[in-house]
Amino acid sequence: MNSRKQQAVLLLLLVCAGRTDALGFSSFTRTLKDWYHRLTAYNDDCNGDWISSDGKGVRKGLKDDLARNLFGQHIASEVIMKAVTGFINNDNPKKPLVLSFHGSSGVGKNLASQLIVKNLYKQGMDSRFVHYFNSVAHFPDHGQVETYKSQLQHWIRGNVTNCAHSLFIFDEMKNMHPGIIDGLKPFMDYVHKLDGVSYRKAIFIFLSNDGGEIIRRTTFDFLITGKERQKLKLEDLETDISSPVVTRGESNAVDFFIPFLPLERQHIVKCVLAEMEATGHKPDHNKACDMADEIVLYFPKDEGGFARFGCKMIAGRLEFFL
């Protein structure tokens, strides 16, 4: 692996971050240090041995994983599969792939991003080419927006220089300062090269609770008329969730705004069964139904309704319930 130059670039970023650490910007600095240690801990390289470029293989694996693990999200599953495989199959994309996931808590946004990563990178979320940022944890002080913006731009530039097929996940977008979002825009646009670096093969994924209420209301209105959930389409929701009020200004750069629907009791039962299997317990449908009824709040109650926190609490309470 030709890593000396790559490590030197990241080490320089680390030194710069260390200077700001003394000023109190430790959260982002710790992230940089963590990534540097991960860089030296793995031998994965930016090639087909570690990053999948097989569109057919990615399509099959991602399709199977989404079907087995992402419950109640037929719109998201279809759009994600087509968007990701289409991008992987394109040897010369005109811009990075930019996906924006919208929906309330516990409906599968993080899970979907992890499934994408799993099917693209041999090391999954542990790959040094995958970069996760949580707006609350990594950019907590809105008084330091310019510092965060500069550090993040250097980090993206250094890592895409290291590997064109880098992937960046930004969680809790609802809490991200618009100034930081503005700092990301140049990397996601239709630009051949920016300061000598091409970002066209990178992937950016944004996760946000913004739009969750709109999605819930639209889904409820759709179902209450007697229509089947599976008949709900992307175009029924995309206009609302791509509005500037919801997207906080990143809309021009996003390729797909993907709605994650609120979950019903049937989906919670599937979440419980999946968690039972994942933790080594024998899946028990009756117990899963009991758990779905006892620990999950639904609203509106008189209509059966949607799970208030989706599947978010299942993993933490499974052992206690069993």
Side-chain angles (χ1 to χ4, degrees), residues 244-307:
V245 174
V246 173
T247 62
R248 299 175 182 268
E250 89 244 23
S251 58
N252 291 336
V254 175
D255 297 299
F256 296 96
F257 293 93
I258 303 178
F260 282 69
L261 307 182
L263 301 182
E264 301 171 55
R265 180 182 180 276
Q266 59 173 313
H267 307 120
I268 303 302
V269 171
K270 291 180 179 179
C271 285
V272 177
L273 290 170
E275 188 64 24
M276 286 178 174
E277 184 174 3
T279 53
H281 296 286
K282 182 179 180 181
D284 186 316
H285 190 269
N286 290 331
K287 286 185 177 180
C289 290
D290 290 341
M291 189 172 180
D293 291 334
E294 291 186 28
I295 73 166
V296 178
L297 298 175
Y298 298 90
F299 70 100
K301 293 181 179 180
D302 57 339
E303 299 291 344
F306 305 122

Side-chain angles (χ1 to χ4, degrees), residues 40 47-48 105 205 211 224 228 297 317:
T40 58
N47 58 41
S105 179
I205 302 177
I224 204 171
E228 296 179 14
L297 298 175
R317 297 195 180 185

Side-chain angles (χ1 to χ4, degrees), residues 20-293:
T20 61
D21 194 35
L23 299 178
F25 313 136
S26 58
S27 179
F28 191 79
T29 303
R30 285 195 299 270
T31 300
L32 295 181
K33 290 179 179 178
D34 174 62
W35 278 102
Y36 179 75
H37 290 309
R38 285 171 62 178
L39 181 147
T40 58
Y42 293 109
N43 293 318
D44 51 337
D45 207 350
C46 186
N47 58 41
D49 292 335
W50 296 91
I51 302 176
S52 179
S53 58
D54 177 9
K56 290 184 178 179
V58 170
R59 180 181 178 86
K60 183 181 185 308
L62 186 56
K63 181 178 181 180
D64 291 345
D65 277 341
L66 290 169
R68 283 196 304 264
N69 300 288
L70 191 64
F71 306 120
Q73 305 300 348
H74 65 283
I75 297 175
S77 294
E78 181 180 3
V79 178
I80 288 171
M81 190 177 65
K82 290 182 178 179
V84 172
T85 56
F87 184 73
I88 295 301
N89 284 328
N90 187 350
D91 292 331
N92 189 30
K94 296 184 181 298
K95 68 180 292 295
L97 176 63
V98 184
L99 306 176
S100 188
F101 296 173
H102 294 266
S104 54
S105 179
V107 294
K109 302 185 297 295
N110 267 291
L111 174 61
S113 66
Q114 291 166 13
L115 294 177
I116 292 172
V117 169
K118 174 189 172 186
N119 283 277
L120 292 181
Y121 300 89
K122 186 174 181 179
Q123 295 282 2
M125 291 296 292
D126 288 326
S127 171
R128 65 188 179 94
F129 308 125
V130 177
H131 313 273
Y132 173 86
F133 296 95
N134 182 294
S135 297
V136 175
H138 295 124
F139 316 114
D141 186 352
H142 285 186
Q144 304 300 336
V145 168
E146 289 304 313
T147 298
Y148 295 147
K149 179 178 173 180
S150 176
Q151 289 177 332
L152 188 56
Q153 288 177 331
H154 280 296
W155 186 247
I156 292 172
R157 185 178 299 112
N159 279 282
V160 175
T161 300
N162 174 38
C163 181
H165 298 279
S166 294
L167 185 148
F168 302 88
I169 300 172
F170 294 90
D171 200 356
E172 300 285 355
M173 285 297 294
K174 185 174 183 178
N175 298 294
M176 182 176 280
H177 192 281
I180 301 177
I181 296 175
D182 288 340
L184 295 174
K185 288 179 181 179
F187 302 112
M188 302 185 295
D189 213 340
Y190 289 90
V191 179
H192 180 66
K193 286 187 177 181
L194 186 64
D195 295 330
V197 180
S198 173
Y199 298 88
R200 292 177 296 154
K201 294 184 178 180
I203 298 176
F204 293 83
I205 302 177
F206 300 109
L207 314 180
S208 178
N209 289 347
D210 280 323
E213 178 57 27
I214 295 173
I215 295 170
R216 186 201 67 78
R217 186 170 62 249
T218 301
T219 305
F220 180 78
D221 291 344
F222 190 86
L223 296 178
I224 204 171
T225 62
K227 297 177 182 177
E228 296 179 14
R229 182 186 179 101
Q230 295 294 118
K231 300 293 184 182
L232 196 60
K233 298 180 180 179
L234 177 63
E235 50 263 36
D236 296 321
L237 293 154
E238 189 174 29
T239 300
D240 287 333
I241 64 173
S242 62
S243 69
V245 174
V246 173
T247 62
R248 299 175 182 268
E250 89 244 23
S251 58
N252 291 336
V254 175
D255 297 299
F256 296 96
F257 293 93
I258 303 178
F260 282 69
L261 307 182
L263 301 182
E264 301 171 55
R265 180 182 180 276
Q266 59 173 313
H267 307 120
I268 303 302
V269 171
K270 291 180 179 179
C271 285
V272 177
L273 290 170
E275 188 64 24
M276 286 178 174
E277 184 174 3
T279 53
H281 296 286
K282 182 179 180 181
D284 186 316
H285 190 269
N286 290 331
K287 286 185 177 180
C289 290
D290 290 341
M291 189 172 180
D293 291 334

